[in-house]
Structure formats: C-alpha cells, structure tokens
Amino acid sequence: MLPLPRFSWEAPDRLPDLVRLAAEPGARLVAGGTDLLPSMKHRIFRPGTLVSTRRVPELRTLRVGADHSLSLGAALSLRELARHAEVRTHFPSLALALGSVATPTIQGMATLGGNLMLDTRCMYYNQPSGWRAALGGCLKCEGTLCHVAPRGAGCYAAHSADTVPVLMLLGATAVFATPNGELPIAVGELYPEDGREGPRCPPGAVLVRVEVPAPQRAVAFRKLRQRAAIDYGLLLTAVAPTPEGWEAVISAVAPQPIRVAAPTREALADAVHKAVQPLPTHQQASTWRKRMLRVEVARALASLPA
Amino acid sequence: MSNELVLHLVVNGEPARALVPASRTLLELLREDLGLTGTKHGCDVGDCGACTVLVNGLPRLACITVAADCAGEHVDTIEGVAVGGQPSAIQAAFDHHVAAQCGYCTPGFVMTLTHLFTEEPEADEASLRHALGSNICRCTGYVKILAAARDAQARMRNPA
Amino acid sequence: MSVRQPTPVPDPIGSYGAKIDGRERISGAALFVADLKLPRMVHAKFVRSTRAHARIVRIHLDAALAIPGVVGHCVGEELPRRYGVIPVAQDETALAVGKVRYIGEPVVCIAALDPETAHRACEAVRVEYEDIEAILTIEAALDPARPTIHEYARKPSNILRRVHQNYGNVDAGFAEAAVVLEENFDYPGSTHVALESHAALARVEPDGKLTLWSSTQNPHYVHRDVARVLGLRDQDVRLIKPAVGAGYGGKCDPFCSDICASHLARKLGRPVRIVLEREEVFLAHRGRHPTRMWLKMGFSAEGRITAVDFKAWADGGAYASYGVVTSYYLGVFMPLPYQLENYRFESHRLYTNKPPCGPKRGHGAIQPRFALEVLLDRAAGRLGLDPAAMRRDNCVEANSETCNGLRVTSVGIQACIDAVVQASGYTERRGKLGPGRGLGIATSAYMCGALHPIYQNEMPHSTVQIKIDRSGEVVVYSGTADVGQGSNHMLAGLVAHRLGLHPADIRVLEGDTSLTPVDLGSYSSRVTFMAGNAALLAVNPLRERIVAAVAEKLGCDPAEVSFGRPGHADRGDGPRVGTDTSDVSWVDAVWLAEEKSGPLVNAGGYTPPKIGSRFRRQSVGPSPAYSFTAQVAEVVVDEETGMVAVERIWVAHDCGRVLNLAVVEGQIEGCVYMGVGEALCEEQRYLPGGLIRAPSILEYKLPTVHESPEVTVFAIESHDPEGPLGAKEAGEGPQLSTVPAIANAIFDASGVWLHQPPFTPERVLRALDARARGGPP
C-alpha cells in the first residue's frame, strides 16, 4: 500500500481563516483531493499542511439568478452540480462535462474548484516517485529535460480539466478571495502558457466560486477517451456559435485550452486542425489525436441544432 | 497545526474514535486502526474502486480520502451492510450468481450498488452501468455482477 | 413445532448457485494477507533499480537507517541462492546480487514501524551503478555480440530456450496445397492486474520454525523455494495461503515479498509484512510474453490444412520464470483442435532487460492461436469457404492422437462450433451487417494440467485427504489454492455428490503446507481435473465403508444403499442413508461405519496416466485431457475514429461436465473479458530505455464495464472418461479464441486484417487507410 507523505491538517469553517491558512508557508489547499492526493502519494507534492476548503459555507453555496445565471461554490461536488436541475436544463453542456470526469464516485468527491485548479498532466510527470527517479525527472518536476519536446522552450504538460472548455465558452468567471477582497478572473485567463506553473492563482488567494452568466447560446461538448470511465481526456472539445461565426475550445493538448474561431460552421474543423498540435504527453499516439481533432469538432457541431 | 489528531466519527452506526497522524487515509483508519479490513486496497490512487465506502451516504474512495476530512461524519463499510447477520439483497444476489469470484473487488461493488439502489431504486440499465463504471473487476467481465445487480434490484422492489 | 416436508438433497453437480465460500467473499470477512496483523509486526518496502542493466557499485544505506522508526534491512548478498519454479532455469534472487537486470528490480528491502517510514527510508537510499548495455529488443537479444544478461548458463547467451519440433512432412504438405499463406504477427505483452497486490507476512514461531502467509497460486513451489533460499529444511517452513484476490497466472512464482518478509522476520525476530504497491505489481509482472511470430499454412482446395510451419520469438524479460515452459506451449498446442499431419515449429524464449514475463491465462498458447485463427479465416476467404464450416471440417476426432503425439480423449469442438454459429446467426449474418459491423469466429483448445511434473518425481500431482467426524462433519484437506476460481467449491461439490450431502455441509481446508497434502498449484488449468480426481479417490472408499456398515445394520444388499435420502430438517442430523424401506441418519451412518471399520479418514492421490508418446522430446505440453472452445464476436468499427467496440460474444466451451454452472460460466466470461482487453486496449509497454510506460490502472487500459461485451455462454459437456465425473477445465481455454474472433470480426466489419493486437484506433485507421489506398487488406 502506498502511504501519503506526512502533513498536518487544517479544516477551517470561516472564509477569512481559509484565506489566512492558505497563505502560510508550505500550505496547500485541498478540496475533493482526487487529483492532489494521488500526486502526493507519488511524492510530486509534499505540502507541510493541507488546508481543506470543504467546511467553508461560502464555497458550498449555489445561487441561481432570475435570468438563470449561476454562482457555483468552488467546493460543490461535480456530482451535485451535474444533477442540479438548473444546470441540467439551462447548461446541458456543463452537465455533460461535469459528468464526464473520471467515474461517478470521483464526481461525488471532486469539486468544481478542484477541477478548475487541476494541475497540468503528462505521462512523464504523473507517475510514481521511483519511476520519475528512473527517468531522471522532467522539466516540471525534479529534472531539467522535457521528454515530450526535448528541444522545446518549456513544459507541455496538458491542461486536462473537463469542465473548462465549456465554462470558457459560457463566459464563466472564477472569483477568488484574497486578503484584499475579491478578485474575479475569466476562466480562460487562469492557465499559463508553460505547463510547469499549473493554474494561475494569485498568491494567498482562494477560489471561492465560479460565476456563469445567463445562457446565451448553445454549447456542445465532447470528451475523447479510450474508456468510457476512469480516463482523463485525450481531447476535450467545446464548440459554440458566436456573433461572427463559430468558435471552439480544445484542451488536453497543451498547458492552456486553445480557443479557435472560424467564420462558418464548415470551416471550424479545419481551423482547429490547423491551430492545434497535440504533443506526446499522453500514452496514445499524438498523430491519431491530431487526426481526431476534425472528427471531434464535426461531431460536436453535429450535436448542436442546425 | 495538528500533526496528530483524535478523530471522532460514526462507523456503521456506532461511534468510533482513533488517534491518528493527520496524513492517515480513511482506508488506513478503517483497516489499521479500526480493524475493518473488509474495505480493500487496490490501486493506491483512486482508480479501481476497491476501497469504496459511503460517507454520509455517498460513495467515496477511502484510499484518497484524508481520514481527518471525515471527522464527525457517518462512514458505512461492507461490514455494516448485512442486516441482522443476514446478507443484504445485493450481497445475497452476488452470492447466488457467484459475482464474487476472488471477492477482492466485491466490497467496493456492494457499496456502490447499495448507494445506487438507495438513491435510485428504479435505476435503469444505463444508470446501473454508469454507476458500475466506478469499480474495476478483473474476474467476472462484469457479466455476473450485472446479473446480480438486476436480480437484487428486483428483489428489493418486490420483497418476497 | 412444525416439521418441514422431507426433501431429497439435490445433486449439486450441474446446478447454478453460490459457492461454499461465497458468504465470506460478499461480506468482507474473507481475510487476505494484507488483512492479517500480528503483534510487533513491522512493514517492509523495496528500493528498486533505476537502471535497466548495470553493475551495483555501492549501496549507501546510512541516511536511511538513521531515520527513526527504521528497524532493519537486507540486501541481495544476504540471499544469494538462486531460485525459480523451473529447476533448469533457476536464475532469480529476491534482491539484485551484484547487478540489476531491469528498471524496478528490487535492490534493498527496508523494514520500519510503519509503511510511510519505510517508504521514506527507501527514498533515502542511494545506489551507485555502472551501466551495462541494455538488451531491450528481440533483435538485440538474438545478437551474440551483445552483453549477456545472465552468466549462469553453460553457454551464455540471451536465448533462454530454443525449441524445434518437426512432425510429418511439412514441405510435402505445402507442395500438395492449393493455397499457401504466410504472415508475420506481433502479439503484445500484457499483464494480469489482479486487484489484490502481492503480499506476504512472515513470522518466526517460538520453536524457530517459519510461518509465511503468501498471496500465491502455488503454495507448494513457494514453500520449496523459500526454504531453499533461506537455507531451511522444507519441514521447518509452513506456507499458508489465505484468501487470495486472484492471480490469472500472476501469482505463480515466489516473489521478493515472500522471501524478504521471511528473511527479515528471522533477522529481526519479529513479524514482517510486505504489501506491494500497485506500481510494484506491474513490475512483478510475469505477464504475457510479447511474441513475434511467422506462420505459414497450406490448404487443400476443400479447405483441409495440409501443413503448418511456425516460428516464434518471445521477449521474456530479465528472468526465466516459467519461460522454458512458454517456449514449448508456443508450439505444442498449435495442432488442436484440428487434424494436422504436417507441422513444424521453432520457438525462442529470450532474455531482455525488462520485468520478467511468465504465465498469464492461456500461457504461451494465446499468441500462436491468434496467428493461426486469423490465417485460417484468410484462407477461407481465398477458397470461398464459410470459415465456420471450414473449421468444422478440420476438427480433431475423439479418441485420437495429434501429429505431435498428444493423446486426445473427449472432444466437444463440433458441438461448440454449432452452438455459437446457430446462436449468433453467423452463417446468415456474416458479411451482411453493413460497413462497420461484423462477425468473426475462432476456435481453440487447451490443456487440463500437465502430464509431467515440473520437477522430476513419480509422486501424485494432487492429494486430497478427507476426514468424516463423528459429528457428521466432513472435512476436505487439499493443498490446492483457491484464488477465486472456485476450486474449494469444486472439491466440496464432488464430495457432497458422493455422500449425498449439500456442498455447504463440506468444510474445505486448503493451501496450508502443514495442514494439507500436496497439490502442485493453480496453474495450467490442472486443479479440477487433478485435485477433483484426488477428491473422488479419497471419498469413494469412505463411501463404500459407510455403505457396508449401513447395509449390515439394515440387513440389506449394499447395492440397494443410497445417499442423500430425504431427511428430517428439524433433527439437524442431515440427510439419510439407506433404502426405500429403511434408513438411518447421516450421523448414525457415520457412527456405524466408524464402529465397523475404524477412523473415517482417507487420502486419495491423483497421478496422471502414463501415456506413451511416439516422440521422445514431447515432455512439456501433453495433458490428460483437452478442453475446446468456439466463439463468435460481433464488433462495431467506427471508421472515422478507428475505435472498435465488441458488442457481444457467443462462446461455447467444452468443459467436459459442468460441476457448478455459475462457476463455469463465470470462468468463461472472465476469459472472454481478458481476451477483449488484450484485443482492444491492454498492452504492457516500455519506453526505449526499458522504463515501463504505464504502471497504473489509470493508464494500463483494462476494460471497465463500459468496454465489456455482453457474453452468451454455452457449456458443452463431452464427459471426459478420465475427468472427475467427466469434468475438464474452464478457466483458461476460453480466452484463446477471443482475440482472433475479434480480429476476424473486424475484417468482416471493415475489410482489414490486423496482425498486431491490441487493435487500437491508430492501428485500425492505419489499416483502413492502406485499404483505401488500394493496398492489400
């Protein structure tokens, strides 16, 4: 049995305490723990203190506006959200994305905030500690060489949060609490270009909620994976019409989700295929993933009303 | 900051208490501290479902749950499923169909199904398969597990 | 008080229902090694090699041993004696001695008060290595200029074993053929992924003897090897196999956990428990050999197989494990289930610097069966024949001998083919399901245990002892290892059948080398056939003694005495023994028998018959009986993505006789499941430097419920003349034909032949592209 490394535990029930504890040296926030705890078991992270977000009421609040806009507490589980009548009725693509994460049991543990703050993933990184030692580490962890692109400029670990492409097309905003008040950041702005960094979280800030504006357009979502449960996505595809034409957000291909626009519905798949280059961050062949870009976009479009 | 803590929780309906390091997983707490070894270690990192227990009625993977996170909560394990020493309908159906070959994944499956049929007694085939996607069985090809689940569901709807 | 209507005890044979040990498995009560805890027990973990092939220059332990809570350690030099189940290929040590041979090989074992401390201590160990060129491919292993991985052989090379056999006249067979086809195939490596990881708990008893609890399929071999490596007498080691969370062949070897827990328990004077982490289970491996194959077959115009020529190179990893056996199994079973006169094969089992391969369900026979069944379908297409009918016309007859000297008794292959062809509508529907959907058929045969023991001896392969207590309790003692396949129930069912009792009335005590007589282990599908026969040999004389005593008491002809007669439930003494006019209770019958003829204890030992072979070398492969399977797969190919879904499998398996239908069906369904995994998604792969790519259930893509097909099982009963009540195996054979049935169905769906499982989307698309470009299918 693989034990967790040692840490101490805090579970505040007031938001100011959560913000204060999150800023302590060596502290790390944990919500559902479904991504963080495996990484800690793999000794990727060894925080001195884990600070649970789960007991703070502000992070567990769901509000629905008269216009069906949503304010979703960051510590609400994916399961609660996916089953919520408002989400299902007015944001079916979000419900689909929430329900495509890992397994139903994990959806009951994992939180929306945790999904937004999911670390980037790579087959050379998300591995046990002894494995990484045999590899000699990688650019993101314990090493200096990127095994995905040895001559590249940085780390290409893939953004892999299933809900993010949809949230981006829905125009969602992540709202952080900081010692100096609230800080809203558009979901699409959370992810830096270099995979080493993981999601951008201002120092000492805590993701409190995600605000989704009133539904304005239909969004379609697809997750390409080998198995219909457990797996992370090989491609995450969200598409939607825009006033100027069509756009797609593709993820699981780079540290950032990639936004691609096209003037017509017919042109979107080609535009995506041209703009996106999956790298060998996954066990599955990147040539095949590249080819699937067109298929996934076409199928996503086909699931939207004409 | 607390490196070690005294945890109070309710396990299978009875109060339980343990002094544990903060880094204890719920799986270790159940197995090593409380002696409830029916919940199994399979994959270490939340992929296989062998360690599924119910926390406040919802399935959780005990191997990636910090025990401290369950302070004050109700935890149900395979040891608490039988009613008056008799197997539950799900367990009895697993027994009859030999849906437990080696039996190592079985506690996890029983907990997943216990939750499903409590929450959704009329679960259809799609819901059933969806729920079972949380658990890996390497022996049965899921054929007998599905048969047992359908059988148990029918019995729970129409107790003889 | 009400008296229930007396009912006869139903014969358990052939019924569908719970196993005798089902209750403990559904309740979480079954105790596996990791569930056992002893006073003062400590936890040990391994430092593992980060190099594929290197000399160990120095091991720095000081920092690790200084960590509070660390209580002891051991290194390879303490355990230098090489072990291995196959006597001619003992090449393994529990911890690397002098050099490491694969990434992940255990180098140091450290014991601590808790697993986290042990883990931290292992991280603090530093090992200096001096790299040696690593052998990572079949080509490199065959190159005599490269370094050798092992030095123990008389003539060092990286070929563990080459087997060459030639029967009939292969060249003449090809000369007379109307169609000759040849093809290269690559079968991937895959691994078992039993959900219970390997575990061991060792304790030194007050008298100095050792008790080892091990999650093993083979208590007897582990017992012998642990004693040998530790320099103990066999009789001073007791090996107990508690509940085991399955094996599928992955727990057939002695493992580092067994030996290091035992050694450290003696060294530290306290119990030591080792439970492998999931990553370590992938490294322990012993899975399917990745195998490169070349197959050439000749066919007459009517579809008769005129000749088969086969070559195979199995990439075996760093240690032998059962690799010598693999080299034979790659070739020996090829003729069955067909009639074949002219056959030749050449197989090689190679050493490479990767985790060792070994026996995985369908050991050695899976790979060639895939090649042969695919080529057979191609030939049928070329000859314009129906593939099912063509197979049926080639089938072996009962009570015959194959060209390579396998004695065949019961044969149910035609009935198997008929059952799946009819149920699936194969004849009418094949080729008519439209693009993207198709049907494929394949057949296969497998063994029921090996005729010859692994180590040379003339003793029984399986002994079962039965004690009937004065209370009426029947206890069966057997050295078998039930790892989930249901062998306990099989033993109970046979004994219950003979004594007219319920299986649940029989207590089976198994897998304890001090308590139970020897059974060689749960491998090569031998347990039902061999331990089952031993159980009948043990119970039959007891039954006769009871008959004699009861006949004497009732004053009747012993031939009139029958068992399992209706009893009075409220008296609690079970069913009755006697005639239609008078009878006694089961307990009274037992008392009468013990009074008349002494203690009711008897042992039976099964030794396979001495079957002469025309061929002197044919020592590995022959079996007392063979099982047969036919299956049809229905697949859907998404021609845009290349993704294949196996929607349904119809499988008919000749298991001789059904002892418990739920168990037999479960074994067959489990085989199909593993076959689907190997066909679609499972592969144990390595980075170019020898580092395993995906040591996790997240990335090793075993099928979930969503990828698992609907399975329709037909149990075909051919009543083997030597099997226990006619029974044969059901736990391995059905997997052999799953992968080729799927490959053949993909051809029917999309017109492409795939010669390399798993049939991943990129491979399927590549084949579809080649077809679109007008290349060969």
Side-chain angles (χ1 to χ4, degrees), chain A residues 1-4 6 43 46 121 123 127-128 131 225-228 231 283-284 288 291-292 299, chain C residues 45 116-117 123 275 279 638 640-641 643 685 692-693 695 697-699 701-702 707 761 769:
Chain A
M1 192 157 19
L2 182 55
L4 280 167
R6 290 188 184 174
R43 272 63 184 171
R46 301 169 194 248
R121 298 184 59 82
M123 64 162 281
Q127 296 276 11
W131 192 98
R225 52 183 160 173
Q226 214 167 335
R227 299 179 292 189
D231 291 352
Q283 300 284 349
Q284 294 74 12
W288 176 73
R291 182 165 173 173
M292 288 306 104
R299 290 183 178 186
Chain C
K45 287 197 174 287
E116 191 275 333
T117 303
E123 285 187 309
V275 179
E279 177 198 18
D638 182 330
E640 266 190 319
T641 64
M643 289 175 120
R685 293 194 295 158
I692 185 171
R693 287 176 66 108
I697 290 176
L698 178 62
E699 293 299 344
K701 303 295 182 189
L702 45 80
E707 291 72 45
D769 288 349

Side-chain angles (χ1 to χ4, degrees), chain B residues 80-155:
Chain B
V81 168
V83 187
Q86 287 304 304
S88 72
I90 296 164
Q91 288 176 308
F94 266 62
D95 196 20
H96 175 68
H97 291 282
V98 192
Q101 283 189 24
C102 79
Y104 199 80
C105 70
T106 309
F109 273 96
V110 170
M111 299 318 287
T112 294
L113 287 170
T114 299
H115 166 257
L116 176 69
F117 291 148
T118 303
E119 184 183 75
E120 218 181 317
E122 306 294 321
D124 61 10
E125 184 73 12
S127 301
L128 174 60
R129 285 178 176 269
H130 178 70
L132 294 183
S134 295
N135 295 70
I136 292 285
C137 170
R138 202 61 176 147
C139 290
T140 62
Y142 308 96
V143 180
K144 293 284 186 263
I145 290 175
L146 286 162
R150 293 181 198 115
D151 197 353
Q153 188 183 24
R155 272 164 214 270

Side-chain angles (χ1 to χ4, degrees), chain C residues 183-383:
Chain C
E183 188 60 70
N184 295 302
F185 297 85
D186 262 306
Y187 201 94
S190 59
T191 198
H192 318 78
V193 202
L195 273 196
E196 182 213 16
S197 51
H198 304 58
L201 167 62
R203 169 172 75 186
V204 179
E205 305 297 341
D207 60 8
K209 296 180 180 177
L210 180 81
T211 305
L212 171 64
W213 289 264
S214 171
S215 59
T216 179
Q217 295 178 240
N218 291 342
H220 179 61
Y221 297 140
V222 175
H223 175 214
R224 282 162 52 90
D225 267 352
V226 167
R228 231 171 54 79
V229 173
L230 267 57
L232 296 172
R233 302 184 301 174
D234 286 8
Q235 67 205 68
D236 292 338
V237 175
R238 176 180 184 184
L239 190 132
I240 302 174
K241 176 218 73 78
V244 171
Y248 323 111
K251 292 174 180 165
C252 283
D253 291 86
F255 286 94
C256 56
S257 40
D258 297 313
I259 289 162
C260 290
S262 301
H263 176 63
L264 281 172
R266 297 181 75 220
K267 191 171 166 182
L268 304 178
R270 60 197 298 180
V272 176
R273 189 173 83 186
I274 301 178
V275 179
L276 294 194
E277 297 163 8
R278 180 50 53 185
E279 177 198 18
E280 295 181 286
V281 177
F282 282 93
L283 296 169
H285 193 35
R286 321 288 152 157
R288 182 92 56 229
H289 288 69
T291 305
R292 181 166 306 163
M293 298 177 283
W294 170 84
L295 177 65
K296 182 175 172 186
M297 295 179 76
F299 300 87
S300 73
E302 300 76 38
R304 295 256 323 143
I305 304 169
T306 61
V308 174
D309 196 359
F310 177 63
K311 288 183 180 153
W313 296 266
D315 174 351
Y319 292 94
S321 182
Y322 287 69
V324 172
V325 176
T326 315
S327 62
Y328 286 89
Y329 284 10
L330 280 168
V332 172
F333 301 123
M334 190 72 107
L336 289 174
Y338 305 121
Q339 290 187 33
L340 197 59
E341 294 310 314
N342 309 307
Y343 173 47
R344 147 173 96 197
F345 80 89
E346 181 185 347
S347 66
H348 310 76
R349 201 281 194 178
L350 308 170
Y351 282 124
T352 52
N353 291 112
K354 289 180 276 191
C357 297
K360 185 184 174 201
R361 202 173 207 166
H363 182 191
I366 292 269
Q367 301 95 321
R369 182 57 42 192
F370 164 67
L372 184 136
E373 293 292 318
V374 167
L375 215 52
L376 208 67
D377 251 45
R378 284 176 52 178
R382 184 77 74 82
L383 293 164

Side-chain angles (χ1 to χ4, degrees), chain C residues 343-585:
Chain C
Y343 173 47
R344 147 173 96 197
F345 80 89
E346 181 185 347
S347 66
H348 310 76
R349 201 281 194 178
L350 308 170
Y351 282 124
T352 52
N353 291 112
K354 289 180 276 191
C357 297
K360 185 184 174 201
R361 202 173 207 166
H363 182 191
I366 292 269
Q367 301 95 321
R369 182 57 42 192
F370 164 67
L372 184 136
E373 293 292 318
V374 167
L375 215 52
L376 208 67
D377 251 45
R378 284 176 52 178
R382 184 77 74 82
L383 293 164
L385 298 170
D386 174 89
M390 178 175 157
R391 282 178 172 81
R392 209 179 183 292
D393 290 345
N394 272 294
C395 279
V396 69
E397 300 288 334
N399 304 311
S400 61
E401 190 179 306
T402 65
C403 65
N404 59 339
L406 305 182
R407 180 205 66 159
V408 180
T409 51
S410 59
V411 174
I413 183 63
Q414 283 99 341
C416 289
I417 294 174
D418 293 347
V420 295
V421 165
Q422 192 180 5
S424 66
Y426 178 85
T427 313
E428 312 82 64
R429 295 172 69 224
R430 185 180 66 96
K432 301 189 185 78
L433 297 175
R437 179 179 288 272
L439 291 175
I441 192 170
T443 62
S444 55
Y446 202 62
M447 68 195 311
C448 301
L451 217 47
H452 305 289
I454 279 177
Y455 66 95
Q456 186 65 44
N457 73 83
E458 300 288 322
M459 293 178 277
H461 291 212
S462 188
T463 299
V464 169
Q465 186 180 17
I466 295 174
K467 180 195 81 174
I468 305 179
D469 189 72
R470 287 175 196 180
S471 64
E473 185 193 32
V474 179
V475 186
V476 175
Y477 300 86
S478 166
T480 46
D482 193 323
V483 296
Q485 80 277 36
S487 59
N488 286 347
H489 188 84
M490 178 274 298
L491 292 170
L494 290 172
V495 172
H497 166 80
R498 297 302 288 151
L499 299 179
L501 302 173
H502 289 283
D505 291 335
I506 313 292
R507 187 186 294 277
V508 177
L509 298 178
E510 49 118 29
D512 178 331
T513 58
S514 294
L515 193 63
T516 58
V518 167
D519 174 271
L520 293 180
S522 294
Y523 64 92
S524 291
S525 283
R526 52 177 298 288
V527 175
T528 293
F529 205 92
M530 299 196 177
N533 269 320
L536 291 178
L537 290 167
V539 73
N540 284 339
L542 293 170
R543 186 185 199 275
E544 281 164 28
R545 284 169 54 195
I546 294 169
V547 166
V550 170
E552 185 176 284
K553 171 75 175 178
L554 301 178
C556 67
D557 181 346
E560 288 176 54
V561 174
S562 67
F563 286 67
R565 306 180 62 75
H568 294 285
D570 59 320
R571 280 180 42 195
D573 55 4
R576 301 175 73 78
V577 183
T579 70
D580 287 344
T581 51
S582 62
D583 58 21
V584 298
S585 74

Side-chain angles (χ1 to χ4, degrees), chain C residues 95-173:
Chain C
L95 301 168
V97 180
K99 81 173 195 175
V100 292
R101 295 179 175 87
Y102 66 94
I103 298 175
E105 179 167 7
V107 177
V108 182
C109 186
I110 297 185
L113 296 179
D114 65 274
E116 191 275 333
T117 303
H119 192 280
R120 210 152 18 96
C122 287
E123 285 187 309
V125 172
R126 199 165 60 81
V127 184
E128 285 178 47
Y129 295 104
E130 189 182 294
D131 283 323
I132 304 168
E133 182 192 352
I135 308 300
L136 293 164
T137 62
I138 287 171
E139 291 73 24
L142 291 169
D143 181 353
R146 307 286 185 112
T148 48
I149 294 169
H150 289 279
E151 294 79 20
Y152 74 94
R154 261 173 304 171
K155 208 175 126 208
S157 93
N158 291 318
I159 302 173
L160 166 67
R161 182 59 66 103
R162 175 182 171 274
V163 178
H164 182 243
Q165 296 183 357
N166 190 355
Y167 305 98
N169 188 334
V170 172
D171 296 327

Side-chain angles (χ1 to χ4, degrees), chain A:
Chain A
M1 192 157 19
L2 182 55
L4 280 167
R6 290 188 184 174
F7 54 83
S8 55
W9 176 259
E10 297 286 357
D13 46 20
R14 290 179 54 245
L15 184 57
D17 293 339
L18 182 63
V19 173
R20 179 178 53 78
L21 287 164
E24 301 266 333
R28 197 170 177 112
L29 293 173
V30 62
T34 55
D35 180 51
L36 179 63
L37 293 174
S39 290
M40 286 174 63
K41 283 193 167 184
H42 289 161
R43 272 63 184 171
I44 286 173
F45 303 116
R46 301 169 194 248
T49 306
L50 280 189
V51 184
S52 171
T53 65
R54 296 210 312 133
R55 289 172 198 263
V56 176
E58 287 88 337
L59 275 72
R60 303 196 51 87
T61 306
L62 191 156
R63 283 199 203 87
V64 182
D67 58 355
H68 304 296
S69 62
L70 298 173
S71 169
L72 308 173
L76 290 168
S77 74
L78 306 180
R79 174 192 150 89
E80 294 172 81
L81 294 171
R83 298 162 75 90
H84 196 279
E86 279 292 321
V87 177
R88 294 174 73 87
T89 310
H90 298 289
F91 300 93
S93 58
L94 180 59
L96 190 63
L98 290 160
S100 74
V101 171
T103 66
T105 296
I106 285 181
Q107 289 160 27
M109 300 169 67
T111 66
L112 182 63
N115 196 245
L116 260 66
M117 302 312 284
L118 186 76
D119 192 14
T120 54
R121 298 184 59 82
C122 177
M123 64 162 281
Y124 298 98
Y125 169 68
N126 298 97
Q127 296 276 11
S129 52
W131 192 98
R132 298 196 311 278
L135 185 73
C138 72
L139 198 54
K140 187 167 161 71
C141 187
E142 301 155 345
T144 54
L145 180 70
C146 174
H147 302 273
V148 170
R151 287 190 296 272
C155 163
Y156 297 90
H159 174 269
S160 303
D162 290 348
T163 62
V164 166
V166 169
L167 286 171
M168 284 172 65
L169 291 185
L170 293 173
T173 304
V175 180
F176 291 84
T178 76
N180 310 318
E182 287 199 340
L183 177 66
I185 302 178
V187 168
E189 303 300 313
L190 289 174
Y191 309 103
E193 209 174 324
D194 191 292
R196 269 173 289 191
E197 296 169 44
R200 276 194 195 105
C201 179
V206 174
L207 177 59
V208 176
R209 61 181 186 276
V210 177
E211 294 189 341
V212 186
Q216 286 142 6
R217 53 180 176 163
V219 175
F221 171 74
R222 289 184 61 83
K223 175 174 177 175
L224 181 68
R225 52 183 160 173
Q226 214 167 335
R227 299 179 292 189
I230 304 180
D231 291 352
Y232 282 92
L234 300 171
L235 291 178
L236 302 172
T237 304
V239 301
T242 64
E244 298 79 34
W246 288 79
E247 67 177 333
V249 174
I250 309 293
S251 198
V253 291
Q256 298 173 302
I258 298 171
R259 203 186 272 266
V260 182
T264 64
R265 189 176 174 125
E266 291 67 34
L268 190 61
D270 278 345
V272 164
H273 191 261
K274 199 172 161 197
V276 177
Q277 182 53 56
L279 292 169
T281 44
H282 293 62
Q283 300 284 349
Q284 294 74 12
S286 42
T287 46
W288 176 73
R289 291 168 61 225
K290 171 91 180 170
R291 182 165 173 173
M292 288 306 104
L293 285 166
R294 273 202 184 91
V295 176
E296 288 294 293
V297 170
R299 290 183 178 186
L301 288 170
S303 71
L304 283 174

